[in-house]
């Protein structure tokens, strides 16, 4: 069991981290103190053209090794310790750091692949260093602790974003550690997840064949990589990606007038299907996508107010920040909620 | 004088026996012989006829035909206790083989799969189950999908008209409603009634049956949508219509029971209808050479694959079957790169109607290791989607099927299991042509014992039952579709395997 929530303002209007912290706080019955985190979009307007790498270091040596590695590969425009407050509930076992980087011109054509490769290399081969996010003008903040304490630790209320997500974790498959908290991220994809990916082994090996390395010791990671593969690399829409990961049943496909279309999707992308109980919120710079497993074994509620779309494990979490809503609904299994910026590409 | 004592005891309860003589008519191995002359000469009453049935125990193969057909159930077959002075190296079996070979001077023939006590990896793999955090799914209440597509898949799909219509054209695949297919067993090795039973069962279950290399009898052409036609080294029965009729074409390079060896169907099994189907003269031996005489390299194989594809206008997937051997992984990637839509891996315990015993017992590798290494190699080369993996060789239960799929197979073939379903008792006499159950024989008095309607129902029942069990396993794993088990080695654990074996199978030990 976990608690998750998120919202996006389709006009790109930004709010600070107070509301999302409140949203997460309403669902404390759903998680414990073994992992909390936030994703925020639009928080680095002064560095919006650079990739923001958020890292967790175990020690100074890990930081030096990472810096050596990055210097050889990319142009570091700026780097700094991510500001934190002292929170008594969370021991500072990692040093959070951020780099704003430019990819060298030689690699511009394959910029995103180059960056994925860079992240994979750091996570796979530099001991004590973990990249927790790597998108532009966005960032992930996470640690072992309740979401409200993680919010305090990272001073979440100081950031302003047009899209936010929150996650409180009740880990049951892998042990709690900072890197294992949600959101999981690659480039500007970030994922929060309630449930278990029972098809993990199949998904992981499919992703490995496409050059992704699943090193973070938890199942949710595969969702971020699948979105990156399907949407960014294969050029599929978010709708198609969702119907690959949570496809209609054959009995429905067989009597659908789009039989050939869905059959091709399921045949081609069978190893990308996510199986097991889940509710997932996926963000990228342009959109927020929320969807369930095929038989809806985890709760997910959606709501709209004006140009803002909300999703959460519990309606109470949404009502707590916006008591009056235009519309509230429980998305059906296999029917994703997709909210896009009206001016996609906006900051 | 026989060189060794009989293996079985034929026990008849004389109190119960009525002397009906059924056993003497049912036994094709001349165990129960009625001494008609003796009885007549004795002038005795009909009640005494039972005392004039001679039991030639040394001929008994424990096929159990007499036991099952005896109306009063007065016959029992027992294994005779070992009679030689015991020795751990020179076992009874070894001594029997040596004596038989000394009698005949020939290669020992054997039927059915490898009999050596090699460990089974399937028996040392266990399957995960859900508890609490990922709820198990009840297949009686929720959809549970087994559908499987065999063949080449594109790496990615492309769409046009703003993503609404499909641009990518998919290669022809076989659609299976269950991942269990019926293995290639030739008409000739087995009877037409057996072929009819298997083909009808495959059609009923939405799956496929392989023809083996004996071709397809005209009476079965109407079921061809459920039939995979084989092209083997003898090229028996191969003609344009045959290739175009089947749902797919399978080139057999080798088989698990006899890697590197061809086939031999004795002339006495080449009856009129078999001669017509195989396109060879009545009574002539059907000899399949060890290699295909037009395939001496991977590029030759590619030519044949594309020759078949051209002949069938690219409408039929082409599979290539090999025995599981040391180098299966690179061979399989070569086969897939050569244009095959699937590679069939046949493990070293796979069955056969006839093979040299020394080959059957000593050559090849376990299917589990072959699946694991081939699946991984195709992934390492980034071409796993180019072709499917079909595993075969002694799949004894749906548990074996689930493990094969979790290791990386797309589907399996079952051979011996389907024959047992038809009535086979694994008496291992297939090559004698005397099958008492009407399966591995062409003797019309024997083949009529197998009613193809009953046979089809039984095999269909078996595949249906395994499919239900697969659904139960998926449900316990919290999965509602087979594709989420495929290659999902995470859901397997090894018990009692060395670290090296775990590495080969790419599974963790239980408890980790």
């Amino acid at each position: 069991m976990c608690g998750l929530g998120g919202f996006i303002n389709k006009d790109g209007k930004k709010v600070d981290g107070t509301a999302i912290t409140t949203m997460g706080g309403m669902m404390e019955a759903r998680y414990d103190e073994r992992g909390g985190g936030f994703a925020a979009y639009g928080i680095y307007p002064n560095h919006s053209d650079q990739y923001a790498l958020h890292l967790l270091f175990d020690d100074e040596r890990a930081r030096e090794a990472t810096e050596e590695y990055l210097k050889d590969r990319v142009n570091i425009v700026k780097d700094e310790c991510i500001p934190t407050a002292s929170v008594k509930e969370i021991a500072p076992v990692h040093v959070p750091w951020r780099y704003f980087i430019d990819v060298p011109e030689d690699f511009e054509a394959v910029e995103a692949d180059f960056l994925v490769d860079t992240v994979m290399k750091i996570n796979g081969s530099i001991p004590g260093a973990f990249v927790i996010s790597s998108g532009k003008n966005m960032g992930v903040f996470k640690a072992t602790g309740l979401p409200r304490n993680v919010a305090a630790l990272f001073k979440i209320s100081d950031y302003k974003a047009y899209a936010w997500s929150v996650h409180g974790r009740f880990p049951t498959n892998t042990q709690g550690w900072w890197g294992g908290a949600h959101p999981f991220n690659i480039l500007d994809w970030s994922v929060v997840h309630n449930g278990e990916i029972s098809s993990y082994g199949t998904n992981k090996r499919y992703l490995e064949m496409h050059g992704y390395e699943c090193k973070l010791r938890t199942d949710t990671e595969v969702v971020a990589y699948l979105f990156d593969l399907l949407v960014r690399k294969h050029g599929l829409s978010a709708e198609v990606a969702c119907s690959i990961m949570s496809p209609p049943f054959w009995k429905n496909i067989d009597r659908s007038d789009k039989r050939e279309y869905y059959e091709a999707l399921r045949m081609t992308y069978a190893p990308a299907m996510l199986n097991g109980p889940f509710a997932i919120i996926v963000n990228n710079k342009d959109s927020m996508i929320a969807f369930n497993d095929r038989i809806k074994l985890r709760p997910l509620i959606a709501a709209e107010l004006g140009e803002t779309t909300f999703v959460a494990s519990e309606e109470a979490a949404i009502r707590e920040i916006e008591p009056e809503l235009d519309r509230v609904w429980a998305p059906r299994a296999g029917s994703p909620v997709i909210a896009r910026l009206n001016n996609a590409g906006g900051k | 004088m026989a060189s060794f004592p009989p293996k079985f005891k034929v026990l008849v309860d004389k109190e119960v026996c009525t002397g009906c003589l059924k056993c003497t008519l049912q036994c094709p191995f001349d165990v129960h012989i009625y001494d008609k002359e003796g009885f007549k000469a004795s002038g005795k009453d009909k009640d005494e006829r039972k005392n004039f049935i001679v039991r030639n125990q040394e001929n008994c193969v424990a096929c159990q035909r007499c036991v099952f057909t005896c109306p009063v159930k007065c016959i029992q077959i027992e294994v005779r206790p070992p009679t030689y002075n015991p020795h751990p190296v020179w076992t009874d079996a070894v001594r029997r083989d040596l004596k038989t070979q000394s009698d005949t001077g020939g290669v020992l023939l054997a039927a059915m799969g490898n009999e050596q006590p090699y460990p089974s990896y399937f028996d040392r793999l266990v399957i995960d189950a859900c508890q609490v955090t990922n709820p198990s799914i009840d297949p009686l209440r929720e959809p549970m999908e087994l559908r499987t597509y065999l063949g080449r898949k594109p790496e990615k799909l492309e769409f046009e008209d703003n993503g609404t219509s499909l641009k990518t054209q998919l290669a022809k695949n076989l659609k299976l409603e269950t991942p269990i297919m019926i293995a290639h067993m030739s008409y000739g090795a087995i009877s037409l009634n057996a072929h009819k039973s298997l083909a009808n069962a495959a059609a009923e279950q939405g799956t496929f049956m392989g023809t083996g290399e004996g071709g397809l009898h005209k009476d079965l052409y109407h079921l061809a949508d459920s039939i995979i036609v084989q092209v083997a080294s003898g090229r028996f029965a191969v003609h344009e219509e045959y290739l175009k009729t089947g749902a797919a074409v399978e080139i057999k390079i080798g088989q698990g029971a006899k890697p590197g060896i061809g086939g031999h169907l004795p002339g006495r099994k080449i009856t009129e209808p078999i001669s017509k189907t195989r396109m060879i003269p009545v009574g002539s031996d059907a000899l399949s050479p060890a290699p295909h005489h037009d395939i001496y390299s991977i590029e030759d194989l590619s030519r044949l694959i594309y020759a078949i594809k051209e002949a069938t206008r690219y409408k039929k997937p082409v599979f290539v079957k090999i025995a599981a051997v040391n180098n299966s992984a690179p061979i399989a990637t070569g086969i897939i790169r050569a244009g095959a839509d699937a590679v069939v891996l046949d493990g070293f315990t796979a069955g056969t109607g006839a093979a040299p015993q020394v080959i059957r017992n000593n050559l090849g590798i376990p299917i589990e290791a072959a699946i694991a290494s081939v699946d991984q190699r195709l992934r390492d080369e980034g071409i796993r989607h180019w072709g499917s993996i079909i595993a075969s060789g002694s799949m004894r239960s749906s548990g074996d099927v689930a493990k094969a799929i979790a290791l990386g197979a797309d589907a399996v073939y079952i051979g011996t299991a389907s024959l047992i379903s038809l009535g086979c008792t694994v008496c291992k006499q297939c090559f004698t042509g005397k099958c008492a159950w009407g399966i591995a024989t062409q003797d019309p008095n024997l083949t009529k014992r197998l009613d193809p309607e009953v046979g089809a129902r039984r095999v269909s029942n078996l595949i249906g039952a395994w499919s239900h069990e697969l659904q139960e396993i998926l449900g316990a794993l919290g999965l509602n579709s087979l594709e989420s088990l495929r290659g999902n080695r995470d859901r397997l654990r090894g018990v009692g395997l060395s670290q090296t074996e775990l590495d080969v199978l790419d599974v963790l030990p239980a408890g980790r």
Side-chain angles (χ1 to χ4, degrees):
Chain A
M1 194 162 82
C2 302
L4 49 79
F7 57 84
I8 182 170
N9 183 284
K10 289 182 270 186
D11 285 338
K13 213 180 109 209
K14 294 181 189 178
V15 295
D16 72 27
T18 315
I20 194 73
T21 307
T22 306
M23 206 174 177
M26 268 311 282
M27 297 183 283
E28 281 192 11
R30 307 190 66 84
Y31 51 77
D32 61 20
E33 72 293 338
R34 285 179 293 167
F38 299 84
Y41 287 78
I43 55 174
Y44 297 129
N46 297 334
H47 295 280
S48 60
D49 292 333
Q50 283 129 26
Y51 288 96
L53 298 188
H54 280 199
L55 281 104
L56 299 176
F57 293 124
D58 283 2
D59 49 37
E60 187 60 18
R61 196 168 353 147
R63 193 180 69 79
E64 282 166 9
T66 305
E67 209 153 305
E68 280 303 304
Y69 176 73
L70 282 175
K71 271 184 189 158
D72 287 346
R73 260 177 103 85
V74 300
N75 307 321
I76 301 175
V77 176
K78 183 180 173 184
D79 80 288
E80 63 191 7
C81 186
I82 297 175
T84 53
S86 169
V87 174
K88 69 175 178 350
E89 290 87 354
I90 301 176
V93 290
H94 299 288
V95 180
W97 209 270
R98 64 190 167 206
Y99 296 87
F100 295 100
I101 60 165
D102 279 329
V103 170
E105 275 174 27
D106 297 357
F107 295 100
E108 261 173 16
V110 289
E111 195 175 281
D113 286 332
F114 177 82
L115 208 78
V116 171
D117 188 50
T118 305
V119 171
M120 295 286 155
K121 289 265 167 55
I122 294 172
N123 288 351
S125 59
I126 302 181
F130 284 95
V131 179
I132 59 170
S133 70
S134 50
K136 284 180 179 171
N137 200 11
M138 62 79 62
V140 165
F141 304 88
K142 59 185 186 179
T144 305
L146 292 173
R148 62 181 153 89
N149 293 330
V150 174
L153 176 76
F154 285 106
K155 305 182 180 180
I156 288 297
S157 56
D158 290 354
Y159 296 92
K160 285 191 152 190
Y162 58 83
W164 284 96
S165 67
V166 61
H167 187 269
R169 185 167 185 230
F170 193 147
T172 47
N173 51 7
T174 46
Q175 286 179 5
W177 69 292
W178 285 32
H182 300 210
F184 285 92
N185 163 286
I186 188 76
L187 299 174
D188 70 339
W189 295 106
S190 57
V191 178
V192 292
H193 163 221
N194 169 20
E196 196 165 306
I197 310 288
S198 305
S199 56
Y200 174 73
T202 300
N203 308 134
K204 167 178 165 269
R205 297 185 69 224
Y206 176 65
L207 287 162
E208 282 170 353
M209 193 175 100
H210 290 91
Y212 296 86
E213 289 174 47
C214 301
K215 294 274 185 190
L216 288 176
R217 295 180 254 157
T218 192
D219 56 356
T220 311
E221 192 182 16
V222 298
V223 182
Y225 300 156
L226 282 172
F227 267 96
D228 187 55
L229 176 71
L230 299 177
V231 178
R232 182 176 67 81
K233 283 194 176 168
H234 289 188
L236 305 173
S237 68
E239 285 82 354
V240 172
C242 288
S243 51
I244 285 168
M245 287 185 254
S246 186
F249 285 98
W250 285 117
K251 65 180 167 70
N252 298 329
I253 292 174
D254 287 345
R255 56 174 183 240
S256 154
D257 50 7
K258 293 181 82 182
R259 194 186 62 79
E260 200 190 346
Y261 171 90
Y262 283 113
E263 186 181 46
L265 280 185
R266 287 198 63 178
M267 280 172 69
T268 307
Y269 291 106
M273 180 208 260
L274 297 174
N275 222 315
F278 65 79
I280 289 172
I281 305 172
V282 180
N283 285 90
N284 73 354
K285 65 179 171 41
D286 297 326
S287 59
M288 178 179 77
I289 304 152
F291 67 116
N292 273 117
D293 63 89
R294 305 199 293 162
I295 50 177
K296 193 151 180 166
L297 291 171
R298 286 291 184 271
L300 186 69
I301 294 288
E304 279 172 348
L305 175 63
E307 288 303 303
T308 306
T309 303
F310 304 85
V311 283
S313 300
E314 296 178 15
E315 189 176 335
I318 304 173
R319 295 272 186 202
E320 182 67 8
I321 55 170
E322 290 294 349
E324 300 300 323
L325 295 158
D326 295 341
R327 182 181 168 219
V328 181
W329 76 100
R332 293 178 63 86
S335 303
V337 175
I338 300 177
R340 289 192 174 84
L341 291 184
N342 294 324
N343 172 22
K347 302 216 167 131
Chain B
M1 190 183 73
S3 298
F4 45 85
K7 264 170 116 170
F8 303 103
K9 256 196 277 192
V10 180
L11 304 174
V12 179
D13 188 341
K14 284 276 182 69
E15 297 282 298
V16 181
C17 178
T18 61
C20 75
L21 303 181
K22 187 144 193 184
C23 52
T24 67
L25 301 171
Q26 288 289 331
C27 180
F29 298 100
D30 300 333
V31 174
H32 311 275
I33 302 293
Y34 173 42
D35 179 10
K36 197 173 174 181
E37 300 305 316
F39 174 65
K40 274 189 179 164
S42 73
K44 286 196 171 162
D45 203 44
K46 205 179 170 190
D47 287 352
E48 294 291 320
R49 197 162 66 176
K50 60 187 172 188
N51 294 319
F52 290 84
I53 302 172
V54 182
R55 318 283 174 176
N56 295 319
Q57 303 198 83
E58 66 276 15
N59 289 345
C60 181
V61 297
C63 76
Q64 308 289 340
R65 182 75 193 178
C66 58
V67 174
F68 280 89
T69 52
C70 173
V72 293
K73 302 283 175 275
C74 71
I75 307 171
Q76 189 185 340
I77 309 295
E78 273 188 3
V79 177
R80 291 175 77 104
T83 43
Y84 292 119
N85 195 344
H87 191 283
V89 176
W90 303 98
T91 60
D92 266 30
V94 168
R95 277 177 272 184
R96 276 169 192 280
D97 286 349
L98 292 172
K99 285 173 186 294
T100 307
Q101 223 157 12
S102 307
D103 288 343
T104 64
V107 171
L108 289 175
L109 264 190
M112 311 312 281
N114 196 325
E115 284 183 67
Q116 295 300 102
Y118 296 105
S120 157
Y121 287 122
F122 282 140
D123 291 343
R124 292 174 185 211
L125 290 170
V126 287
I127 302 171
D128 191 20
C130 294
Q131 298 290 296
V132 184
T133 57
N134 48 349
S136 44
I137 304 170
D138 188 340
L140 294 174
R141 293 180 173 81
E142 303 284 350
M144 193 56 74
E145 301 179 324
L146 299 181
R147 188 180 292 182
T148 296
Y149 288 83
L150 297 180
R152 182 166 294 229
K153 320 284 190 297
E155 187 193 347
K156 61 179 183 180
L157 291 179
E158 290 183 68
F159 297 90
E160 47 196 9
D161 301 332
N162 208 13
T164 51
S165 73
L166 194 61
K167 188 175 163 198
T168 312
Q169 190 134 29
L170 270 72
K172 179 75 183 165
N173 272 237
L174 286 194
K175 181 171 95 177
L176 283 63
E177 294 301 341
T178 176
I180 303 158
M181 300 191 290
I182 299 167
H184 288 262
M185 293 173 284
S186 75
Y187 170 47
I190 61 174
S191 65
L192 184 58
N193 280 348
H195 246 213
K196 279 183 184 164
S197 305
L198 299 174
N200 279 297
E204 193 174 316
Q205 288 294 330
T207 182
F208 295 84
M209 175 198 96
T211 58
E213 80 161 316
L216 186 63
H217 193 278
K218 286 285 177 194
D219 288 359
L220 293 176
Y221 268 55
H222 70 285
L223 294 170
D225 286 348
S226 305
I227 286 172
I228 301 168
V229 297
Q230 192 176 77
V231 173
S233 61
R235 299 289 156 85
F236 300 121
V238 177
H239 51 88
E240 192 185 352
E241 192 193 354
Y242 171 71
L243 295 176
K244 284 185 169 167
T245 296
V249 181
E250 183 165 318
I251 300 169
K252 184 185 83 174
I253 299 296
Q255 67 186 85
K258 40 182 172 178
I261 296 286
H264 178 192
L265 192 66
R268 67 187 134 82
K269 273 185 143 177
I270 310 295
T271 57
E272 178 73 30
I274 289 176
S275 129
K276 278 206 174 120
T277 308
R278 292 208 176 204
M279 306 190 301
I280 53 171
V282 174
S284 65
D285 282 3
L287 294 167
S288 310
H292 289 242
H293 283 319
D294 53 0
I295 302 178
Y296 284 82
S297 63
I298 193 78
E299 54 270 33
D300 291 344
L301 173 67
S302 190
R303 295 261 167 105
L304 180 61
I305 292 170
Y306 281 100
I308 292 171
K309 288 192 176 216
E310 288 286 338
T312 54
R313 302 286 182 266
Y314 293 85
K315 285 178 183 155
K316 312 285 178 185
V318 177
F319 302 166
V320 175
K321 174 180 178 177
I322 55 168
V325 292
N326 301 4
N327 240 7
S328 288
I331 296 166
T333 62
I335 287 170
I336 295 296
R337 287 181 186 280
D341 298 281
V343 59
V344 182
L345 302 169
D346 203 21
F348 80 150
T349 52
T352 177
Q357 181 178 288
V358 68
I359 300 285
R360 186 199 65 173
N361 284 357
N362 295 287
L363 274 63
I365 65 166
I367 188 62
E368 302 90 327
I371 300 168
S373 61
V374 169
D375 177 61
Q376 190 55 50
R377 179 64 176 260
L378 290 171
R379 288 167 189 274
D380 290 346
E381 296 191 15
I383 58 169
R384 180 64 183 83
H385 54 285
W386 285 21
S388 301
I389 297 173
I390 303 163
S392 66
S394 292
M395 301 286 161
R396 301 157 301 175
S397 69
S398 55
D400 289 353
V401 177
K403 290 169 190 176
I405 289 172
L407 285 171
D410 290 276
V412 304
Y413 272 132
I414 60 167
T416 306
S418 66
L419 297 187
I420 293 173
S421 165
L422 284 180
C424 165
T425 59
V426 196
C427 73
K428 303 178 280 186
Q429 304 303 310
C430 322
F431 55 86
T432 65
K434 291 182 185 174
C435 178
W437 297 88
I439 303 165
T441 176
Q442 303 305 329
D443 179 342
N445 288 320
L446 298 173
T447 58
K448 71 179 181 198
R449 294 177 179 184
L450 178 61
D451 178 339
E453 276 183 32
V454 175
R457 195 178 67 235
R458 293 185 59 81
V459 176
S460 176
N461 278 347
L462 179 75
I463 295 174
W466 283 20
S467 303
H468 283 306
E469 289 175 348
L470 281 177
Q471 291 178 323
E472 292 288 347
I473 291 170
L474 286 178
L477 283 162
L479 303 173
N480 53 23
S481 186
L482 191 66
E483 55 239 57
S484 297
L485 180 62
R486 194 160 285 127
N488 197 343
R489 300 175 184 175
D490 231 49
R491 308 305 297 276
L492 294 175
R493 288 292 186 269
V495 176
L497 293 172
S498 72
Q499 188 55 52
T500 313
E501 290 168 310
L502 292 168
D503 289 346
V504 167
L505 298 173
D506 186 27
V507 294
L508 292 171
R512 199 170 279 169

